[in-house]
């Protein structure tokens, strides 16, 4: 049938047919139809049918701000505190200010494209635009709202797949062998609880939150291993209108992050020297801990003392993964040591072969085709 106007067709029997979405079941549209002998009458009937459809309860999701907080309230039962805070921040700072009063079922792909463009160009506190990675997180929350609405058979007229974000490859800092050797020598010469914690990260790849939450009972010196089962984070309190924060020690988000890591022999002596059962590893005290931000600052002061270029604490984790690859670790072993859910995460984010290792591999061509 030839189409005229918005979902209006002329049928072979001479009548005009107008179609509209009557309902959605599991996100799929089911259509209704109106008929007339001419285009003008069918258009009038179609507009009336759409108007009546909008007046029916349950077909529209409501305003974005209402749907957003209903979704978040339901998700609270399954989310970790850190994820809840993250999603709540994205709703409060980005989605609600721009789209909060908009009827969710009336958001179109063009509306999403305009929203994303505004975030990239003038988003953020300083109106300098958000990084593509941050915008991708905002889109992820919007997609969560979209799925939530579709499961309740609300009208949804957009897809976050309409947006294509170009992400720039960030430069990952990894200590060279010379830098790491210098850092290790300094830590051993100025050994205290903090220096011991940094050594532990360099030789096991644990995260700073995992280090701060670790207690001495997690270290098994007789079997030369340690158990990673907790992480420490500073999070906003549960009241969404309260900007106060508190330190929380809880299980990691992923079950794969709970793991047992064998300890290399170089760590056993220093660990025995500082062993304090029943206390936090970084303080040697029962009820006093060091939080991640403080540990980050101490790490940077040590780098300054070593006259090494600035680096984030997470550099210890990247460096550990790189050394493991250089030493011939298989990727499955490395993935489990790092506590990753899949090998692909390990390879894409944490494995950074050095130029010397690349050169060593390329030199194998010389042995394959010897020139006589």
């Amino acid at each position: 049938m030839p189409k005229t106007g918005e979902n209006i067709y002329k049928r072979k029997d001479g009548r005009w047919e107008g179609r509209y979405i009557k309902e959605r079941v599991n996100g799929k549209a089911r259509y209704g139809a109106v008929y007339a002998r001419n285009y003008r009458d069918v258009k009038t009937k179609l507009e009336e049918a759409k108007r009546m459809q909008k007046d029916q309860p349950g077909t529209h999701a409501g305003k974005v701000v209402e749907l957003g907080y209903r979704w978040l309230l339901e998700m609270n039962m399954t989310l970790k505190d850190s994820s809840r805070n993250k999603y709540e921040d994205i709703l409060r700072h980005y989605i609600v200010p721009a789209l909060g009063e908009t009827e969710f079922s009336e958001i179109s792909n063009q509306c999403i494209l305009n929203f994303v463009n505004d975030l990239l160009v003038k988003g953020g506190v300083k109106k300098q635009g958000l990084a593509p990675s941050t915008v991708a997180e905002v889109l992820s929350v919007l997609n969560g709202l979209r799925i939530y609405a579709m499961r309740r058979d609300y009208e949804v007229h957009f897809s976050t797949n309409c947006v294509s974000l170009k992400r720039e490859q960030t430069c990952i800092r990894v200590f060279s062998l010379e830098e790491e050797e210098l850092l290790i020598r300094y830590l051993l010469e100025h050994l205290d609880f903090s220096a011991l914690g940094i050594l532990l990260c360099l030789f096991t790849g644990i995260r700073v939150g995992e280090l701060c939450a670790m207690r001495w009972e997690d270290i098994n010196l007789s079997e030369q291993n340690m158990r990673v089962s907790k992480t420490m984070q500073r999070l906003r309190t549960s009241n969404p209108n309260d900007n106060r924060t508190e330190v929380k020690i809880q299980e990691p988000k992923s079950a794969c992050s709970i793991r047992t890591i064998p300890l290399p022999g170089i760590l056993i002596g220093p660990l025995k020297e500082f062993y304090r059962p029943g206390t936090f590893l970084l303080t040697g005290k029962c009820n006093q801990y060091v939080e991640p931000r403080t540990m980050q600052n101490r790490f940077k002061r040590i780098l300054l003392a070593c006259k090494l270029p600035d680096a984030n604490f997470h550099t210890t984790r990247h460096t550990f993964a790189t050394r493991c690859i250089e030493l011939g670790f298989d990727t499955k072993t490395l993935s489990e040591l790092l506590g990753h859910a899949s090998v692909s995460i390990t390879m894409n984010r944490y494995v950074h072969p050095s130029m010397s290792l690349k050169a060593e591999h390329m030199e194998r061509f010389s042995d394959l085709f010897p020139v006589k």
Side-chain angles (χ1 to χ4, degrees), residues 161-207:
N161 291 332
C162 70
V163 179
S164 178
L165 292 172
K166 182 180 179 181
R167 301 197 195 186
E168 295 182 0
Q169 189 71 26
T170 56
C171 182
I172 303 297
R173 176 88 161 91
V174 174
F175 291 128
S176 67
L177 276 171
E178 293 76 16
E179 288 176 327
E180 189 173 11
E181 184 179 356
L182 179 61
L183 178 57
I184 291 171
R185 188 184 303 117
Y186 179 91
L187 293 170
L188 290 173
E189 290 174 354
H190 301 81
L191 200 58
D192 57 13
F193 285 109
S194 294
L196 180 62
I198 296 171
L199 276 174
L200 198 63
C201 291
L202 284 170
F203 284 98
T204 63
I206 61 174
R207 304 170 178 93

Side-chain angles (χ1 to χ4, degrees), residues 231-262:
T231 188
M232 181 186 293
Q233 292 175 293
R234 177 169 285 280
L235 301 170
R236 194 176 63 252
T237 54
S238 56
N239 185 348
N241 298 317
D242 192 346
N243 289 321
R244 289 181 298 177
T245 61
E246 59 184 346
V247 171
K248 289 193 175 184
I249 299 175
Q250 46 193 194
E251 288 188 357
K253 286 191 294 184
S254 169
C256 298
S257 292
I258 300 175
R259 59 204 188 275
T260 299
I261 303 176

Side-chain angles (χ1 to χ4, degrees), residues 268-281:
I268 301 304
L271 287 170
K272 285 182 177 179
E273 180 182 347
F274 284 85
Y275 191 77
R276 305 286 190 278
T279 68
F280 281 99
L281 184 139

Side-chain angles (χ1 to χ4, degrees), residues 45-74:
K45 285 185 176 182
L46 184 60
E47 289 173 351
E48 178 64 16
K50 287 181 178 180
R51 186 189 64 76
M52 292 180 65
Q53 188 69 15
K54 286 185 178 181
D55 291 339
Q56 292 181 14
T59 57
H60 276 208
K63 293 181 179 179
V64 172
V65 61
E66 299 165 352
L67 183 76
Y69 286 108
R70 290 205 306 270
W71 168 75
L72 194 61
L73 186 63
E74 182 173 303

Side-chain angles (χ1 to χ4, degrees), residues 317 335 338-351:
R317 186 165 164 86
S335 180
L338 292 173
H340 287 157
S342 69
V343 173
S344 61
I345 297 175
T346 308
M347 296 303 296
N348 293 334
R349 295 185 186 175
Y350 289 93
V351 177

